[in-house]
Amino acid sequence: MFPHRREHRTRRTPLGALSLATVCALLALPVTPAAATTAGPGNPDTHCAGRALPRVPGAARQRADCLDELTTAGTVASGHTDPADYAGLTPKDLPTPTGVPGIQIDGYFPDTSTTNTNHGWHHDSQFVIRLPDHWNGGLVVAGTPGNREQYAGDRAIADWVLARGYAYAATDKGNTGTAFFRDGRRPGDAIAEWNTRLTQLTRAARTVVTRRYHRPPARTLATGLSNGGYLVRWQLEHHPELYDGGVDWEGTLWRADGPNPLTFLPAALRHYPDHAAGGPRAAEATAAMHRAGYPAGSEFLWPYHHQVYWDLTQRLYREELDPGYDGDTEAGTPYCAPGTPGCDADYAYPARPAAVHRAVARIALTGRIGKPLITLQGTLDVLLPISQDSDVYARMVHAAGRGSLLRYYRIEDGTHTDALADTFPDRLRPMVPCHRAAFTALERWIAGAGRPPADHTVARPPGATPATLLTSCPLGQPASGRP
């Protein structure tokens, strides 16, 4: 049980409520560079000599540092990332590229919530922007998975795109941690802010890139994992003018009429204990799990997800969108037995009041994307079961008449958390090489160099070893021409 009540949520300053004088004052704040930003005798960081360190428009605070290495090969030692942010998201043997010097800008936008403690700032809406010396003309923007902070994508996404020459920007989404639901005044406010913050960062990062390289980015691509994938979908639906395309890595699906996490997670909480206990009720419990969307063949993943993900995820997101369900209790009772008052194992989203469905509608997706999108999800994802998530979203995009802008790849034996591929190397494949294959396919697509192959399931290659699966994920042969 969490120690504070929902009525103690912090109140945010609306982005549009800042006075002109305040905005001008924020824009005038100086960059606070590290000592390495000044080139001179004995200073090895002369690659930044004579280059102006750009300001981030709208930032309340920022610090720019000139670094010899922007990837985690250097930023871990220099303190310009936080390995705790990305722990558990990538395979342990994922190679780390090197040789990417440039500028890193850390900062935050005006906000009144304080869950993010990076840099000792105790301030949310933190961001990181990285500007490589050798730029390829592109910008990649990302939101974070789960309730993690701005460095969560550093290993899975930032290292690789920076090594390819992209500028990179990421946001903490405006609130972090397991009490993220306290941010805001109305149910759904905290999640709605995630979308606002990625839009805000994209606009600011495009300006920073233009100032740094003296020309605007030739392409701006959005990508992200899990909640970060949800942000990609939402951005391409609501702000396609800011992007040239996106890669959605098993994004969360929110729909007011379901499915959404509040429709399938309670079933796991309700039935998994009977499945795990064995005995006469086990077979029916297993069948009920399958009916809820958890695929047959994924049972070996259920104990981990029961211990780590299902209970916590249901309680936190239910508290954000339906705080009245458990009365004054904050985020329910962990691992409560069905029949316990206010137990999330008994939660029935379809029967909840219309106000709850309106809260979900505020953050819901429509499928009306306006730029090319590649979606990928593992067939053994048991946090967001594929039949309840990306299968549905792909149908939504086609129903909205936007099917020509979507390519959807189901990755056989992929799951939600890539580190689990180390635990089950003979049963799982890492998703990160498939994300990279999708990203390069998107590059070709928007450049007019060929459409990605049609939607299909990407089979696990027969006899593939963990080493080959870590470096390869063929999506198939591209088609010719543009849609």
Side-chain angles (χ1 to χ4, degrees):
M1 185 178 297
F2 295 98
H4 301 293
R5 303 294 182 201
R6 186 177 179 91
E7 57 265 26
H8 294 302
R9 294 176 119 182
T10 55
R11 290 178 177 263
R12 294 192 302 274
T13 300
L15 295 179
L18 298 175
S19 69
L20 178 60
T22 301
V23 172
C24 290
L26 293 174
L27 292 175
L29 286 173
V31 175
T32 306
T37 60
T38 302
N43 188 336
D45 299 309
T46 55
H47 59 92
C48 288
R51 295 181 177 179
L53 299 178
R55 295 171 178 167
V56 179
R61 181 170 183 171
Q62 66 177 88
R63 183 186 72 201
D65 295 318
C66 186
L67 304 179
D68 282 339
E69 184 61 71
L70 291 176
T71 75
T72 55
T75 55
V76 172
S78 69
H80 288 84
T81 188
D82 182 359
D85 277 5
Y86 51 77
L89 294 180
T90 55
K92 61 180 175 59
D93 293 328
L94 183 68
T96 303
T98 59
V100 187
I103 297 168
Q104 175 163 320
I105 305 173
D106 293 286
Y108 56 75
F109 294 110
D111 199 349
T112 56
S113 56
T114 59
T115 59
N116 190 337
T117 61
N118 274 317
H119 311 290
W121 287 337
H122 297 275
H123 198 290
D124 291 341
S125 300
Q126 290 193 36
F127 60 81
V128 59
I129 299 174
R130 298 188 175 107
L131 307 167
D133 285 357
H134 307 291
W135 184 50
N136 70 2
L139 168 64
V140 173
V141 294
T144 59
N147 308 113
R148 299 179 185 232
E149 296 162 356
Q150 66 268 29
Y151 305 114
D154 280 6
R155 286 276 288 144
I157 298 171
D159 281 355
W160 185 74
V161 300
L162 286 164
R164 291 170 60 81
Y166 280 93
Y168 173 81
T171 172
D172 69 1
K173 307 195 301 287
N175 43 73
T176 65
T178 55
F180 79 96
F181 52 79
R182 295 181 188 149
D183 192 16
R185 292 172 291 184
R186 295 185 297 162
D189 273 359
I191 295 177
E193 184 181 11
W194 300 352
N195 297 313
T196 303
R197 294 301 181 181
L198 187 56
T199 303
Q200 178 185 42
L201 178 64
T202 300
R203 289 174 172 149
R206 286 170 59 89
T207 298
V208 169
V209 165
T210 301
R211 291 174 177 173
R212 169 66 179 84
Y213 301 108
H214 307 293
R215 60 185 174 95
R219 57 196 174 279
T220 301
L221 307 178
T223 192
L225 161 64
S226 190
N227 284 339
Y230 157 74
L231 295 180
V232 174
R233 296 171 175 178
W234 194 96
Q235 293 294 319
L236 296 190
E237 290 181 5
H238 293 268
H239 290 290
E241 75 282 359
L242 294 178
Y243 306 95
D244 295 281
V247 178
D248 153 31
W249 183 346
E250 54 204 14
T252 310
L253 177 62
W254 289 106
R255 284 167 48 102
D257 57 353
N260 62 53
L262 301 183
T263 65
F264 53 78
L265 286 171
L269 302 183
R270 196 160 53 245
H271 299 297
Y272 175 77
D274 286 339
H275 161 86
R281 302 175 62 179
E284 175 52 32
T286 303
M289 292 282 289
H290 293 161
R291 289 194 297 272
Y294 300 93
S298 70
E299 291 84 357
F300 69 100
L301 293 169
W302 294 359
Y304 176 84
H305 285 77
H306 175 69
Q307 179 183 9
V308 175
Y309 282 123
W310 290 336
D311 179 76
L312 184 65
T313 302
Q314 164 64 22
R315 289 187 293 103
L316 298 187
Y317 288 87
R318 194 270 306 148
E319 182 71 16
E320 163 65 5
L321 294 159
D322 189 1
Y325 174 72
D326 56 355
D328 290 336
T329 303
E330 186 178 67
T333 303
Y335 298 102
C336 55
T340 304
C343 182
D344 278 277
D346 293 323
Y347 189 77
Y349 175 79
R352 296 302 295 155
V356 176
H357 293 249
R358 288 195 297 270
V360 175
R362 293 180 57 213
I363 62 168
L365 297 166
T366 66
R368 294 191 291 272
I369 56 174
K371 288 291 174 63
L373 173 67
I374 297 180
T375 286
L376 55 149
Q377 186 167 9
T379 60
L380 295 182
D381 189 333
V382 294
L383 178 57
L384 304 175
I386 193 169
S387 68
Q388 305 299 299
D389 193 281
S390 294
D391 287 358
V392 178
Y393 188 66
R395 293 196 295 269
M396 290 168 59
V397 174
H398 284 275
R402 310 297 172 90
S404 64
L405 294 174
L406 177 70
R407 294 295 184 272
Y408 172 39
Y409 304 121
R410 306 170 93 252
I411 309 301
E412 186 178 39
D413 294 345
T415 194
H416 201 78
T417 306
D418 255 10
L420 287 172
D422 295 330
T423 306
F424 302 102
D426 297 329
R427 299 189 185 190
L428 296 176
R429 66 186 299 173
M431 294 285 292
V432 64
C434 299
H435 173 263
R436 294 174 178 182
F439 191 96
T440 56
L442 178 67
E443 290 176 316
R444 293 191 299 268
W445 190 5
I446 64 177
R451 292 175 295 171
D455 301 359
H456 67 282
T457 298
V458 178
R460 180 184 182 127
T465 66
T468 59
L469 289 172
L470 188 59
T471 58
S472 177
C473 182
L475 297 180
Q477 294 299 314
S480 60
R482 294 178 64 88

